[in-house]
């Protein structure tokens, strides 16, 4: 007993260490691991898959006999021949029937439901990818807001340093009080921007917590793609063919389902042959029943309906393929453009920083005005914010690429198109 307790404690401790290390190395992956298992969206998709499997078994039931218990009692009767009168007692019995031939209608319905099962199977993985994308998007939005807050706070600190210097000057020269007011107004504007970014961050963190089931703080936010280079992204997470993604496969299965349903609607118009038998305490009967709707207005339009569904499924399949291709191309284009832009912005930040240093020296020598110095700080702030926004756009482009390849859950640690 003691030995088992010690082993349990070791396992729990090891699990906590692993859990903590996962959260430390990549918080977004940690959130996805927690969310992509028991989220209501996935439970719903799993239940729909279970229902599709049951429909397959229902269709197979067409080959099995149907046995019913019966009971009959005559309430009123009239016959010219007295010998035709029957006793009014309750007559129990058993009725059975089994299909002998249906021109392949039963087999076709089984095939249709199997394709429908495939549809819901791939829909589960498509739902998992979409859920992972929604969660990741919230995470990246929160991270972007956090980085904007950091830039704003650095800008506020620079304004406060200017205010401190101007405040000392104003004590000895009241004529420069207007300059202090200008700098103070700029600082207040920066504080308002920081407040806006904080509101955005906490809104995204609150929504994120509803998926993960645990509160995520700004300290947990980090760049999830920091160690994922563009080369590694394309090498490890590119689909060999867009037709292998869960989204495309689900749409293909829907098309196959509608094609089978169209064939089934034609077969249902053909004769159906059943063997029937009835046994009561008084009689025994066996026979063959043939049912053939020589005219059925409903079934005629059912065939046309299924044909139209095939046409709409083909159009959706083409649209899905086009959207996947466009999303992939746009993501690759954004990755390339933002990567180049970051290099340019880095040079701009270095140049703007030097300009502020020069302007500060010239301001101290009364050769530059406060407005010029504040404008130089604003320019640096705008360039730093552009860097943060471009980094956010690059992360978003990588996320879009993973989604277009159906590899987002795989990146988080789940096997592709398979349960963990």
């Amino acid at each position: 007993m003691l030995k088992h307790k010690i082993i349990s404690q070791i396992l729990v401790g090891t699990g906590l260490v692993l859990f903590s290390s996962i959260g430390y190395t990549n918080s977004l992956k940690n959130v996805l691991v927690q969310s992509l298992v028991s989220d209501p969206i996935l439970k719903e998709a799993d239940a729909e898959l279970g229902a599709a499997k049951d429909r397959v078994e229902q269709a197979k039931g067409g080959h099995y006999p149907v046995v019913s218990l019966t009971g009959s009692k005559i309430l009123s009767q009239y016959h010219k021949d007295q010998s035709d009168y029957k006793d009014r007692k309750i007559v129990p019995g058993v009725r059975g029937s089994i299909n002998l031939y249906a021109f392949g209608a039963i087999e076709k319905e089984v095939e249709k439901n199997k394709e429908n099962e495939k549809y819901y199977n791939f829909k589960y993985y498509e739902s998992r990818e979409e859920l992972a994308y929604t969660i990741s998007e919230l995470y990246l939005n929160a991270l972007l807001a956090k980085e904007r807050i950091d830039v704003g706070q650095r800008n506020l600190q620079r304004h406060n340093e200017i205010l401190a210097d101007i405040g000392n000057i104003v004590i000895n020269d009241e004529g420069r009080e207007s300059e202090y007011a200008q700098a103070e107004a700029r600082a207040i504007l920066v504080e308002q921007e920081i407040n806006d970014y904080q509101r955005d961050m906490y809104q995204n963190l609150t929504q994120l917590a509803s998926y993960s089931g645990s509160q995520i703080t700004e300290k947990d936010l980090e760049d999830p793609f920091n160690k994922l280079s563009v080369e590694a992204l394309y090498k490890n997470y590119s689909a060999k063919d867009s037709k292998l993604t869960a989204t495309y496969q689900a749409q293909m299965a829907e098309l196959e389902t509608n094609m089978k349903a169209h064939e089934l609607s034609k077969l249902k118009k053909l004769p159906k042959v059943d063997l029937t038998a009835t046994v009561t305490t008084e009689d025994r009967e066996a026979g063959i029943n043939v049912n053939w709707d020589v005219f059925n207005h409903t079934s005629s339009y059912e065939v046309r309906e299924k044909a139209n569904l095939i046409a709409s499924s083909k159009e959706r399949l083409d649209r899905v393929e086009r959207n996947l291709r466009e999303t992939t191309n746009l993501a690759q284009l954004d990755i390339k453009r933002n990567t180049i832009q970051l290099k340019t912005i880095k040079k701009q930040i270095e140049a703007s920083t030097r300009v502020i240093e020069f302007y500060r020296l010239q301001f101290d020598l009364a050769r530059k005005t406060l407005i010029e110095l504040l404008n130089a700080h604003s320019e640096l702030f705008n360039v730093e914010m552009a860097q943060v926004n471009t980094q956010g756009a690059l992360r978003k482009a990588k996320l879009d690429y993973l989604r277009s390849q159906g590899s987002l859950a795989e990146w988080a640690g789940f096997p592709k198109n398979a349960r963990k």
Side-chain angles (χ1 to χ4, degrees), residues 203-258:
Q203 282 180 346
N204 284 285
L205 287 177
T206 301
Q207 289 181 278
L208 196 58
S210 66
Y211 288 100
S212 65
S214 59
Q215 187 61 45
I216 300 171
T217 66
E218 58 184 293
K219 294 180 180 179
D220 300 321
L221 298 172
E222 58 183 23
D223 187 352
F225 305 131
N226 186 39
K227 297 182 179 180
L228 180 63
S229 64
V230 177
E231 293 76 14
L233 173 68
Y234 292 155
K235 179 181 178 181
N236 299 327
Y237 299 106
S238 295
K240 295 180 180 179
D241 189 346
S242 62
K243 295 180 180 180
L244 298 177
T245 62
T247 301
Y248 187 92
Q249 289 291 327
Q251 194 56 53
M252 175 60 75
E254 183 186 74
L255 173 60
E256 292 292 337
T257 300
N258 288 330

Short mmCIF file of all heavy atoms in Angstrom, two decimals, residues 203-258:
data_model
loop_
_atom_site.label_atom_id
_atom_site.label_comp_id
_atom_site.label_asym_id
_atom_site.label_seq_id
_atom_site.Cartn_x
_atom_site.Cartn_y
_atom_site.Cartn_z
N GLN A 203 -9.77 41.64 -22.43
CA GLN A 203 -10.95 41.06 -23.12
C GLN A 203 -10.57 39.74 -23.78
O GLN A 203 -11.30 38.74 -23.68
CB GLN A 203 -11.48 42.04 -24.16
CG GLN A 203 -12.29 43.19 -23.58
CD GLN A 203 -12.80 44.13 -24.65
OE1 GLN A 203 -12.36 44.10 -25.80
NE2 GLN A 203 -13.74 44.99 -24.28
N ASN A 204 -9.43 39.72 -24.46
CA ASN A 204 -8.99 38.49 -25.13
C ASN A 204 -8.61 37.41 -24.12
O ASN A 204 -8.89 36.23 -24.34
CB ASN A 204 -7.81 38.79 -26.05
CG ASN A 204 -8.22 39.47 -27.34
OD1 ASN A 204 -8.78 38.85 -28.23
ND2 ASN A 204 -7.97 40.76 -27.42
N LEU A 205 -7.99 37.81 -23.01
CA LEU A 205 -7.62 36.83 -21.98
C LEU A 205 -8.87 36.22 -21.33
O LEU A 205 -8.89 35.03 -21.01
CB LEU A 205 -6.75 37.49 -20.91
CG LEU A 205 -5.31 37.82 -21.32
CD1 LEU A 205 -4.59 38.55 -20.21
CD2 LEU A 205 -4.55 36.56 -21.71
N THR A 206 -9.91 37.04 -21.14
CA THR A 206 -11.15 36.54 -20.56
C THR A 206 -11.81 35.52 -21.48
O THR A 206 -12.27 34.46 -21.04
CB THR A 206 -12.11 37.71 -20.28
OG1 THR A 206 -11.49 38.63 -19.37
CG2 THR A 206 -13.41 37.20 -19.66
N GLN A 207 -11.86 35.83 -22.77
CA GLN A 207 -12.43 34.89 -23.74
C GLN A 207 -11.59 33.62 -23.82
O GLN A 207 -12.13 32.52 -23.94
CB GLN A 207 -12.51 35.55 -25.12
CG GLN A 207 -13.57 36.63 -25.23
CD GLN A 207 -13.61 37.23 -26.63
OE1 GLN A 207 -12.84 38.10 -26.98
NE2 GLN A 207 -14.52 36.73 -27.44
N LEU A 208 -10.28 33.79 -23.73
CA LEU A 208 -9.39 32.64 -23.80
C LEU A 208 -9.60 31.70 -22.62
O LEU A 208 -9.57 30.47 -22.77
CB LEU A 208 -7.94 33.14 -23.82
CG LEU A 208 -6.85 32.17 -24.26
CD1 LEU A 208 -7.13 31.64 -25.66
CD2 LEU A 208 -5.50 32.87 -24.22
N ALA A 209 -9.86 32.28 -21.45
CA ALA A 209 -10.08 31.46 -20.25
C ALA A 209 -11.34 30.60 -20.37
O ALA A 209 -11.41 29.52 -19.80
CB ALA A 209 -10.18 32.37 -19.02
N SER A 210 -12.33 31.07 -21.14
CA SER A 210 -13.56 30.29 -21.30
C SER A 210 -13.31 29.01 -22.09
O SER A 210 -14.06 28.04 -21.98
CB SER A 210 -14.63 31.13 -22.01
OG SER A 210 -14.25 31.43 -23.34
N TYR A 211 -12.26 28.99 -22.90
CA TYR A 211 -11.90 27.78 -23.65
C TYR A 211 -10.96 26.88 -22.86
O TYR A 211 -11.12 25.66 -22.86
CB TYR A 211 -11.23 28.15 -24.98
CG TYR A 211 -12.15 28.74 -26.00
CD1 TYR A 211 -12.23 30.11 -26.22
CD2 TYR A 211 -12.97 27.91 -26.78
CE1 TYR A 211 -13.08 30.65 -27.17
CE2 TYR A 211 -13.83 28.43 -27.74
CZ TYR A 211 -13.87 29.80 -27.92
OH TYR A 211 -14.73 30.33 -28.87
N SER A 212 -9.98 27.48 -22.20
CA SER A 212 -8.96 26.68 -21.51
C SER A 212 -9.44 26.18 -20.16
O SER A 212 -8.92 25.19 -19.64
CB SER A 212 -7.69 27.51 -21.32
OG SER A 212 -7.93 28.61 -20.46
N GLY A 213 -10.43 26.87 -19.55
CA GLY A 213 -10.92 26.47 -18.24
C GLY A 213 -10.06 26.98 -17.10
O GLY A 213 -10.35 26.70 -15.94
N SER A 214 -9.00 27.71 -17.40
CA SER A 214 -8.14 28.28 -16.37
C SER A 214 -7.75 29.69 -16.80
O SER A 214 -7.65 29.98 -18.00
CB SER A 214 -6.89 27.43 -16.16
OG SER A 214 -6.16 27.31 -17.36
N GLN A 215 -7.54 30.54 -15.81
CA GLN A 215 -7.22 31.93 -16.10
C GLN A 215 -5.78 32.06 -16.59
O GLN A 215 -4.85 31.52 -15.99
CB GLN A 215 -7.42 32.80 -14.85
CG GLN A 215 -7.27 34.29 -15.10
CD GLN A 215 -8.30 34.81 -16.10
OE1 GLN A 215 -9.48 34.48 -16.01
NE2 GLN A 215 -7.84 35.60 -17.05
N ILE A 216 -5.60 32.76 -17.68
CA ILE A 216 -4.28 33.03 -18.24
C ILE A 216 -3.94 34.48 -17.99
O ILE A 216 -4.75 35.37 -18.26
CB ILE A 216 -4.26 32.72 -19.74
CG1 ILE A 216 -4.59 31.24 -19.97
CG2 ILE A 216 -2.90 33.04 -20.35
CD1 ILE A 216 -4.80 30.89 -21.41
N THR A 217 -2.76 34.73 -17.46
CA THR A 217 -2.34 36.10 -17.16
C THR A 217 -1.41 36.61 -18.25
O THR A 217 -0.93 35.84 -19.10
CB THR A 217 -1.62 36.15 -15.80
OG1 THR A 217 -0.39 35.41 -15.89
CG2 THR A 217 -2.48 35.54 -14.70
N GLU A 218 -1.15 37.90 -18.22
CA GLU A 218 -0.27 38.49 -19.23
C GLU A 218 1.15 37.95 -19.12
O GLU A 218 1.88 37.91 -20.11
CB GLU A 218 -0.27 40.01 -19.08
CG GLU A 218 0.16 40.51 -17.71
CD GLU A 218 0.04 42.02 -17.62
OE1 GLU A 218 0.80 42.71 -18.32
OE2 GLU A 218 -0.81 42.51 -16.84
N LYS A 219 1.54 37.47 -17.92
CA LYS A 219 2.88 36.89 -17.76
C LYS A 219 3.02 35.57 -18.52
O LYS A 219 4.13 35.16 -18.85
CB LYS A 219 3.17 36.66 -16.28
CG LYS A 219 3.27 37.94 -15.45
CD LYS A 219 3.56 37.62 -13.99
CE LYS A 219 3.65 38.91 -13.17
NZ LYS A 219 3.93 38.62 -11.73
N ASP A 220 1.88 34.91 -18.76
CA ASP A 220 1.92 33.64 -19.50
C ASP A 220 2.07 33.83 -21.00
O ASP A 220 2.36 32.87 -21.72
CB ASP A 220 0.64 32.83 -19.22
CG ASP A 220 0.47 32.51 -17.75
OD1 ASP A 220 1.49 32.20 -17.11
OD2 ASP A 220 -0.67 32.58 -17.25
N LEU A 221 1.83 35.04 -21.48
CA LEU A 221 1.84 35.30 -22.92
C LEU A 221 3.26 35.39 -23.44
O LEU A 221 4.09 36.13 -22.92
CB LEU A 221 1.09 36.60 -23.22
CG LEU A 221 -0.39 36.64 -22.84
CD1 LEU A 221 -0.95 38.05 -23.02
CD2 LEU A 221 -1.19 35.65 -23.68
N GLU A 222 3.52 34.62 -24.48
CA GLU A 222 4.82 34.66 -25.15
C GLU A 222 4.64 34.30 -26.60
O GLU A 222 3.61 33.74 -27.00
CB GLU A 222 5.79 33.67 -24.47
CG GLU A 222 5.27 32.26 -24.47
CD GLU A 222 6.19 31.28 -23.75
OE1 GLU A 222 6.97 31.75 -22.90
OE2 GLU A 222 6.13 30.09 -24.03
N ASP A 223 5.61 34.61 -27.42
CA ASP A 223 5.53 34.34 -28.85
C ASP A 223 5.56 32.83 -29.09
O ASP A 223 6.60 32.18 -28.89
CB ASP A 223 6.69 35.02 -29.57
CG ASP A 223 6.56 34.90 -31.09
OD1 ASP A 223 5.67 34.17 -31.56
OD2 ASP A 223 7.36 35.55 -31.79
N PRO A 224 4.45 32.22 -29.52
CA PRO A 224 4.43 30.75 -29.69
C PRO A 224 5.24 30.28 -30.89
O PRO A 224 5.61 29.11 -30.98
CB PRO A 224 2.94 30.45 -29.87
CG PRO A 224 2.38 31.70 -30.45
CD PRO A 224 3.16 32.83 -29.85
N PHE A 225 5.51 31.20 -31.84
CA PHE A 225 6.24 30.82 -33.05
C PHE A 225 7.67 31.37 -33.04
O PHE A 225 8.30 31.44 -34.10
CB PHE A 225 5.50 31.33 -34.29
CG PHE A 225 4.07 30.88 -34.37
CD1 PHE A 225 3.05 31.79 -34.62
CD2 PHE A 225 3.74 29.55 -34.19
CE1 PHE A 225 1.73 31.37 -34.69
CE2 PHE A 225 2.43 29.12 -34.26
CZ PHE A 225 1.42 30.03 -34.51
N ASN A 226 8.14 31.74 -31.87
CA ASN A 226 9.47 32.35 -31.77
C ASN A 226 10.57 31.42 -32.28
O ASN A 226 11.53 31.85 -32.91
CB ASN A 226 9.75 32.75 -30.32
CG ASN A 226 11.05 33.50 -30.16
OD1 ASN A 226 11.39 34.33 -30.99
ND2 ASN A 226 11.78 33.22 -29.11
N LYS A 227 10.42 30.13 -32.00
CA LYS A 227 11.43 29.15 -32.41
C LYS A 227 11.04 28.39 -33.68
O LYS A 227 11.73 27.45 -34.07
CB LYS A 227 11.70 28.16 -31.27
CG LYS A 227 12.27 28.83 -30.02
CD LYS A 227 12.55 27.80 -28.93
CE LYS A 227 13.14 28.45 -27.69
NZ LYS A 227 13.41 27.47 -26.61
N LEU A 228 9.93 28.80 -34.28
CA LEU A 228 9.50 28.14 -35.52
C LEU A 228 9.90 29.03 -36.70
O LEU A 228 9.22 29.99 -37.04
CB LEU A 228 7.98 27.93 -35.50
CG LEU A 228 7.37 27.24 -36.73
CD1 LEU A 228 7.91 25.82 -36.88
CD2 LEU A 228 5.85 27.22 -36.64
N SER A 229 11.01 28.68 -37.33
CA SER A 229 11.46 29.46 -38.48
C SER A 229 10.55 29.21 -39.67
O SER A 229 9.79 28.23 -39.71
CB SER A 229 12.90 29.08 -38.84
OG SER A 229 12.95 27.72 -39.26
N VAL A 230 10.65 30.09 -40.65
CA VAL A 230 9.83 29.93 -41.85
C VAL A 230 10.19 28.64 -42.57
O VAL A 230 9.31 27.92 -43.07
CB VAL A 230 10.03 31.15 -42.78
CG1 VAL A 230 9.25 30.96 -44.07
CG2 VAL A 230 9.61 32.44 -42.08
N GLU A 231 11.48 28.32 -42.61
CA GLU A 231 11.92 27.08 -43.27
C GLU A 231 11.34 25.85 -42.57
O GLU A 231 10.86 24.91 -43.23
CB GLU A 231 13.45 27.00 -43.28
CG GLU A 231 14.14 28.06 -44.13
CD GLU A 231 14.16 29.43 -43.47
OE1 GLU A 231 13.88 29.51 -42.25
OE2 GLU A 231 14.45 30.42 -44.17
N ALA A 232 11.37 25.85 -41.23
CA ALA A 232 10.83 24.72 -40.48
C ALA A 232 9.31 24.63 -40.63
O ALA A 232 8.75 23.53 -40.69
CB ALA A 232 11.19 24.86 -39.00
N LEU A 233 8.67 25.79 -40.72
CA LEU A 233 7.21 25.82 -40.92
C LEU A 233 6.84 25.13 -42.22
O LEU A 233 5.95 24.27 -42.25
CB LEU A 233 6.73 27.27 -40.92
CG LEU A 233 5.26 27.50 -41.28
CD1 LEU A 233 4.35 26.95 -40.18
CD2 LEU A 233 4.99 28.98 -41.50
N TYR A 234 7.52 25.49 -43.31
CA TYR A 234 7.20 24.91 -44.60
C TYR A 234 7.61 23.44 -44.69
O TYR A 234 6.93 22.63 -45.34
CB TYR A 234 7.89 25.70 -45.71
CG TYR A 234 7.35 27.11 -45.89
CD1 TYR A 234 8.13 28.12 -46.44
CD2 TYR A 234 6.05 27.43 -45.49
CE1 TYR A 234 7.64 29.40 -46.60
CE2 TYR A 234 5.55 28.71 -45.65
CZ TYR A 234 6.35 29.69 -46.20
OH TYR A 234 5.86 30.97 -46.36
N LYS A 235 8.72 23.09 -44.03
CA LYS A 235 9.23 21.73 -44.12
C LYS A 235 8.38 20.74 -43.31
O LYS A 235 8.09 19.63 -43.79
CB LYS A 235 10.68 21.69 -43.62
CG LYS A 235 11.29 20.30 -43.66
CD LYS A 235 12.74 20.31 -43.14
CE LYS A 235 13.34 18.91 -43.14
NZ LYS A 235 14.73 18.91 -42.61
N ASN A 236 7.98 21.14 -42.10
CA ASN A 236 7.34 20.19 -41.18
C ASN A 236 5.82 20.21 -41.22
O ASN A 236 5.18 19.24 -40.81
CB ASN A 236 7.81 20.47 -39.75
CG ASN A 236 9.30 20.31 -39.58
OD1 ASN A 236 9.92 19.48 -40.24
ND2 ASN A 236 9.91 21.10 -38.71
N TYR A 237 5.22 21.31 -41.67
CA TYR A 237 3.76 21.44 -41.54
C TYR A 237 3.05 21.74 -42.86
O TYR A 237 1.90 22.18 -42.84
CB TYR A 237 3.45 22.54 -40.51
CG TYR A 237 4.00 22.23 -39.14
CD1 TYR A 237 5.11 22.90 -38.66
CD2 TYR A 237 3.43 21.24 -38.34
CE1 TYR A 237 5.64 22.61 -37.40
CE2 TYR A 237 3.95 20.94 -37.10
CZ TYR A 237 5.05 21.63 -36.63
OH TYR A 237 5.57 21.34 -35.39
N SER A 238 3.70 21.49 -43.96
CA SER A 238 3.06 21.66 -45.26
C SER A 238 2.39 20.37 -45.69
O SER A 238 3.02 19.30 -45.64
CB SER A 238 4.07 22.11 -46.32
OG SER A 238 4.60 23.38 -46.02
N ALA A 239 1.14 20.47 -46.08
CA ALA A 239 0.42 19.29 -46.57
C ALA A 239 0.93 18.92 -47.96
O ALA A 239 1.18 19.79 -48.79
CB ALA A 239 -1.08 19.57 -46.60
N LYS A 240 1.11 17.63 -48.19
CA LYS A 240 1.58 17.18 -49.51
C LYS A 240 0.55 17.52 -50.58
O LYS A 240 0.90 17.75 -51.73
CB LYS A 240 1.83 15.67 -49.47
CG LYS A 240 2.97 15.27 -48.53
CD LYS A 240 3.18 13.76 -48.55
CE LYS A 240 4.31 13.35 -47.61
NZ LYS A 240 4.53 11.88 -47.59
N ASP A 241 -0.71 17.54 -50.17
CA ASP A 241 -1.79 17.85 -51.10
C ASP A 241 -2.93 18.46 -50.30
O ASP A 241 -3.30 17.92 -49.25
CB ASP A 241 -2.26 16.58 -51.82
CG ASP A 241 -3.23 16.87 -52.95
OD1 ASP A 241 -3.73 18.01 -53.02
OD2 ASP A 241 -3.50 15.96 -53.75
N SER A 242 -3.48 19.59 -50.77
CA SER A 242 -4.59 20.24 -50.05
C SER A 242 -5.81 19.32 -49.96
O SER A 242 -6.66 19.50 -49.09
CB SER A 242 -4.98 21.54 -50.75
OG SER A 242 -5.44 21.29 -52.08
N LYS A 243 -5.86 18.32 -50.84
CA LYS A 243 -6.99 17.40 -50.83
C LYS A 243 -6.92 16.42 -49.66
O LYS A 243 -7.86 15.65 -49.43
CB LYS A 243 -7.06 16.64 -52.14
CG LYS A 243 -7.35 17.53 -53.34
CD LYS A 243 -7.40 16.74 -54.63
CE LYS A 243 -7.68 17.65 -55.82
NZ LYS A 243 -7.74 16.91 -57.10
N LEU A 244 -5.81 16.44 -48.93
CA LEU A 244 -5.66 15.56 -47.77
C LEU A 244 -6.10 16.24 -46.48
O LEU A 244 -6.13 15.60 -45.43
CB LEU A 244 -4.20 15.10 -47.64
CG LEU A 244 -3.64 14.28 -48.81
CD1 LEU A 244 -2.17 13.95 -48.56
CD2 LEU A 244 -4.45 13.00 -49.00
N THR A 245 -6.43 17.52 -46.52
CA THR A 245 -6.86 18.23 -45.32
C THR A 245 -8.26 17.77 -44.91
O THR A 245 -9.05 17.30 -45.76
CB THR A 245 -6.88 19.75 -45.55
OG1 THR A 245 -7.82 20.06 -46.58
CG2 THR A 245 -5.50 20.25 -45.93
N ALA A 246 -8.56 17.90 -43.63
CA ALA A 246 -9.86 17.45 -43.12
C ALA A 246 -11.01 18.21 -43.77
O ALA A 246 -12.07 17.65 -44.04
CB ALA A 246 -9.90 17.62 -41.61
N THR A 247 -10.80 19.51 -44.04
CA THR A 247 -11.85 20.32 -44.66
C THR A 247 -12.22 19.79 -46.03
O THR A 247 -13.41 19.64 -46.36
CB THR A 247 -11.39 21.79 -44.77
OG1 THR A 247 -11.07 22.28 -43.47
CG2 THR A 247 -12.48 22.66 -45.38
N TYR A 248 -11.22 19.51 -46.84
CA TYR A 248 -11.47 18.98 -48.19
C TYR A 248 -12.06 17.58 -48.12
O TYR A 248 -13.01 17.26 -48.85
CB TYR A 248 -10.19 18.99 -49.00
CG TYR A 248 -10.39 18.63 -50.45
CD1 TYR A 248 -10.62 19.62 -51.40
CD2 TYR A 248 -10.38 17.30 -50.88
CE1 TYR A 248 -10.83 19.30 -52.73
CE2 TYR A 248 -10.58 16.97 -52.21
CZ TYR A 248 -10.81 17.97 -53.13
OH TYR A 248 -11.03 17.65 -54.45
N GLN A 249 -11.51 16.73 -47.26
CA GLN A 249 -11.99 15.36 -47.15
C GLN A 249 -13.44 15.31 -46.69
O GLN A 249 -14.22 14.47 -47.14
CB GLN A 249 -11.10 14.58 -46.17
CG GLN A 249 -9.72 14.27 -46.69
CD GLN A 249 -9.73 13.25 -47.83
OE1 GLN A 249 -10.57 12.36 -47.86
NE2 GLN A 249 -8.82 13.41 -48.77
N ALA A 250 -13.82 16.21 -45.78
CA ALA A 250 -15.21 16.26 -45.31
C ALA A 250 -16.14 16.63 -46.45
O ALA A 250 -17.22 16.03 -46.62
CB ALA A 250 -15.34 17.26 -44.16
N GLN A 251 -15.73 17.61 -47.26
CA GLN A 251 -16.57 18.03 -48.38
C GLN A 251 -16.65 16.94 -49.44
O GLN A 251 -17.70 16.73 -50.06
CB GLN A 251 -16.02 19.32 -48.98
CG GLN A 251 -16.99 20.02 -49.91
CD GLN A 251 -18.32 20.32 -49.25
OE1 GLN A 251 -18.37 20.92 -48.19
NE2 GLN A 251 -19.40 19.87 -49.87
N MET A 252 -15.55 16.23 -49.65
CA MET A 252 -15.57 15.11 -50.59
C MET A 252 -16.51 14.00 -50.11
O MET A 252 -17.25 13.41 -50.91
CB MET A 252 -14.14 14.57 -50.76
CG MET A 252 -14.04 13.33 -51.64
SD MET A 252 -14.62 13.61 -53.33
CE MET A 252 -13.24 14.54 -53.99
N ALA A 253 -16.48 13.73 -48.81
CA ALA A 253 -17.37 12.70 -48.26
C ALA A 253 -18.83 13.12 -48.40
O ALA A 253 -19.71 12.28 -48.63
CB ALA A 253 -17.03 12.45 -46.79
N GLU A 254 -19.10 14.42 -48.28
CA GLU A 254 -20.48 14.90 -48.46
C GLU A 254 -20.93 14.69 -49.90
O GLU A 254 -22.08 14.28 -50.16
CB GLU A 254 -20.58 16.38 -48.10
CG GLU A 254 -22.00 16.91 -48.21
CD GLU A 254 -22.08 18.41 -47.99
OE1 GLU A 254 -21.67 19.17 -48.90
OE2 GLU A 254 -22.54 18.83 -46.93
N LEU A 255 -20.03 14.95 -50.85
CA LEU A 255 -20.35 14.71 -52.26
C LEU A 255 -20.63 13.23 -52.51
O LEU A 255 -21.61 12.88 -53.18
CB LEU A 255 -19.19 15.20 -53.13
CG LEU A 255 -19.29 14.88 -54.63
CD1 LEU A 255 -20.53 15.51 -55.24
CD2 LEU A 255 -18.04 15.35 -55.37
N GLU A 256 -19.79 12.36 -51.98
CA GLU A 256 -19.99 10.93 -52.14
C GLU A 256 -21.30 10.48 -51.51
O GLU A 256 -22.01 9.62 -52.05
CB GLU A 256 -18.82 10.16 -51.52
CG GLU A 256 -17.49 10.34 -52.23
CD GLU A 256 -17.49 9.70 -53.61
OE1 GLU A 256 -18.31 8.78 -53.84
OE2 GLU A 256 -16.67 10.10 -54.45
N THR A 257 -21.64 11.06 -50.37
CA THR A 257 -22.91 10.73 -49.71
C THR A 257 -24.09 11.08 -50.59
O THR A 257 -25.03 10.29 -50.76
CB THR A 257 -23.03 11.48 -48.37
OG1 THR A 257 -21.95 11.10 -47.51
CG2 THR A 257 -24.35 11.15 -47.68
N ASN A 258 -24.05 12.27 -51.18
CA ASN A 258 -25.15 12.70 -52.05
C ASN A 258 -25.22 11.86 -53.32
O ASN A 258 -26.32 11.60 -53.84
CB ASN A 258 -24.99 14.18 -52.40
CG ASN A 258 -25.28 15.09 -51.22
OD1 ASN A 258 -26.09 14.75 -50.35
ND2 ASN A 258 -24.63 16.24 -51.16
#
